[in-house]
Amino acid sequence: MSGTTIYFGKINLISEHIYKVYSNELKMRDILLDILINFKHGLRYEEEHTYLGDDGAQHSDTTSYSIFIREKTDTYIRGRLDKESQLKYKVKNPITQELESKLVSNTDAIEFYFDVFNEMVGYNTSMRFGHKKFLEVFAQMLNSAAKLADKEYVFCVDRYTRGININDLYRELKAIDGIRQLKFTIKPVNPDTEMLDSIQENGSDKLEEFEEANISQKSIIFTSTSRLGLNIDSKAVKESLDEVGNIQKDLPVEKATRNGYVKVEATGRNGITRSTEDHEPVRKHIKRMTEFVKACEEIIRNTI
C-alpha cells in the first residue's frame, strides 16, 4: 500500500521539576510554554561516531540533526527533523581490482507535528531514520529548547501505544520460552488534570519514593543462565509486576505502558526481545502528506 504511516510519541518530563508539578509549585503548562517559545528553526544536535577504517586506524565522523520549522502556532509546531550523515560505500578500482571505501553526504528527514500542550508528537519514519533514533533526538531538541529558556528541564519521548493491562502482560511473559533477561523501567508520571487531582488528594504513592531519592528513572533487571529461564511466578518477579501495577492510585498499567511511564522488556532463549513499547503502537495511514496535520490532530484528539 502506498502512502505514509504516522506514528506517535509521548513527551515526558523526567527531571526533578515533575515533582514540583505534583506539589503545585510549578505548572506543567508554564513548562511547556517555555518549550513552545524556544523550540526554534535551526536547533541542532550532533553525535560523534568512531570506527575502524580499512587502513586499520580509528576514524570518526559526525551525524548532525537539525530542526526546520514549517509552521508554528500558539499550540503546535509543524516541522521536519533532518539527519545529515556520511554514507560509506565501496567502488572497485579498475586498475588494482581492489574495493575502495568512499563516502557520500546524505540527508534523511522525518516530518513531525508537535502538539505542545497535549505532550504528543506525530511523525513518519524513513529507512535510515527509524522510531528509536527519532524519539531520542527529538528529546534532545526539547532539552535544547529548555536550555534556551535558561531552564534545566529534561525530557524523554516514549513511543505511544495502546497499552497493555497487567493480566495480558503476565500472560505474554508466561508465553515467552526461556526468558534470559527481564527488565522493568519506571518513570515519573506526567499527570493530566484528573491524575494531578488524584496525586494532590491521595498523595503520590510510589512516586514519593522517587522524589525522595531524586529518581528520574528506575530500572529492575533480572537475568538467568538457567536452561528453563526466569520463573515468572517467583516472588521476586511478582513483586516487580506488583510495583509497576501500583505506581500511583488511579493509574492502571494499561495507561502507564501507553504513555511510557512503565516499560517491560523480555529477551527469550531465541535472543528476540519483546517490549511493551512495541505492543500495538498507535498509528495512522495517510495517502498524501497534505493529510498529515489533520491526521495527527484526529489521533491526538481521540486518544488523549
Side-chain angles (χ1 to χ4, degrees), residues 138-151:
F138 198 81
Q140 292 294 338
M141 295 299 184
L142 295 172
N143 295 337
S144 295
K147 288 178 183 176
L148 288 177
D150 291 323
K151 306 293 185 181

Side-chain angles (χ1 to χ4, degrees), residues 8-11 113-115 118-122 160 300 303-304:
F8 295 85
K10 171 68 172 66
I11 314 299
Y113 172 89
F114 176 22
D115 186 325
N118 280 320
E119 304 163 35
M120 294 282 287
V121 59
Y160 190 71
I300 292 170
T303 56
I304 293 299

Side-chain angles (χ1 to χ4, degrees), residues 39-58:
F39 196 97
K40 299 176 180 178
H41 178 79
L43 278 178
R44 296 187 70 85
Y45 169 68
E46 293 187 343
E47 291 179 333
E48 187 170 333
H49 311 273
T50 58
Y51 64 94
L52 198 64
D54 294 339
D55 58 1
Q58 194 172 66

Side-chain angles (χ1 to χ4, degrees), residues 53-299:
D54 294 339
D55 58 1
Q58 194 172 66
H59 299 266
S60 65
D61 60 20
T62 300
T63 301
S64 298
Y65 301 89
S66 59
I67 293 292
F68 172 74
I69 302 292
R70 296 188 184 277
E71 181 185 8
K72 187 172 183 178
T73 72
D74 57 1
T75 59
Y76 73 82
I77 301 170
R78 164 83 166 92
R80 192 182 72 212
L81 178 57
D82 294 341
K83 172 187 177 183
E84 299 170 78
S85 59
Q86 299 282 317
L87 297 182
K88 302 174 184 64
Y89 67 99
K90 291 187 180 290
V91 174
K92 183 190 287 186
N93 185 310
I95 298 174
T96 65
Q97 298 298 300
E98 295 292 335
L99 296 180
E100 298 178 349
S101 295
K102 302 287 184 182
L103 293 174
V104 62
S105 296
N106 179 74
T107 300
D108 288 291
I110 287 181
E111 299 286 336
F112 68 84
Y113 172 89
F114 176 22
D115 186 325
V116 179
F117 297 109
N118 280 320
E119 304 163 35
M120 294 282 287
V121 59
Y123 61 96
N124 66 333
T125 59
S126 71
M127 187 175 297
R128 296 189 183 94
F129 198 175
H131 296 281
K132 186 175 181 180
K133 183 54 66 175
F134 170 80
L135 297 175
E136 176 188 323
V137 174
F138 198 81
Q140 292 294 338
M141 295 299 184
L142 295 172
N143 295 337
S144 295
K147 288 178 183 176
L148 288 177
D150 291 323
K151 306 293 185 181
E152 296 182 349
Y153 309 140
V154 178
F155 294 88
C156 69
V157 187
D158 296 283
R159 196 171 181 187
Y160 190 71
T161 71
R162 300 198 181 280
I164 182 170
N165 65 51
I166 192 71
N167 293 326
D168 288 344
L169 175 58
Y170 172 76
R171 281 193 290 269
E172 291 213 2
L173 289 174
K174 286 285 286 183
I176 298 173
D177 182 37
I179 294 179
R180 299 301 192 206
Q181 178 170 290
L182 181 61
K183 181 178 180 181
F184 298 88
T185 304
I186 307 170
K187 298 173 187 172
V189 173
N190 280 219
D192 53 24
T193 303
E194 184 179 333
M195 181 58 62
L196 185 58
D197 288 344
S198 174
I199 289 173
Q200 292 172 349
E201 181 179 343
N202 302 304
S204 53
D205 295 351
K206 182 64 67 175
L207 299 174
E208 289 180 359
E209 297 178 17
F210 278 47
E211 182 176 4
E212 182 183 16
N214 297 319
I215 292 173
S216 298
Q217 177 175 292
K218 176 181 178 179
S219 295
I220 306 166
I221 302 175
F222 298 96
T223 60
S224 174
T225 56
S226 165
R227 180 179 59 82
L228 299 175
L230 286 166
N231 177 8
I232 301 303
D233 291 316
S234 66
K235 180 181 177 182
V237 174
K238 281 198 166 183
E239 283 178 350
S240 294
L241 281 168
D242 287 342
E243 182 171 353
V244 301
N246 294 282
I247 301 174
Q248 177 60 38
K249 180 179 171 64
D250 301 323
L251 180 67
V253 171
E254 188 170 4
K255 184 173 182 178
T257 52
R258 179 189 310 147
N259 289 287
Y261 310 143
V262 165
K263 181 168 68 172
V264 182
E265 301 167 281
T267 304
R269 192 196 317 277
N270 57 10
I272 296 174
T273 298
R274 295 173 174 82
S275 172
T276 51
E277 68 179 354
D278 299 321
H279 181 81
E280 296 188 28
V282 173
R283 53 192 167 194
K284 173 79 172 177
H285 187 81
I286 58 174
K287 294 181 180 179
R288 294 172 293 275
M289 285 305 293
T290 52
E291 304 168 8
F292 184 72
V293 171
K294 184 178 179 181
C296 288
E297 289 175 337
E298 177 187 328
I299 291 293

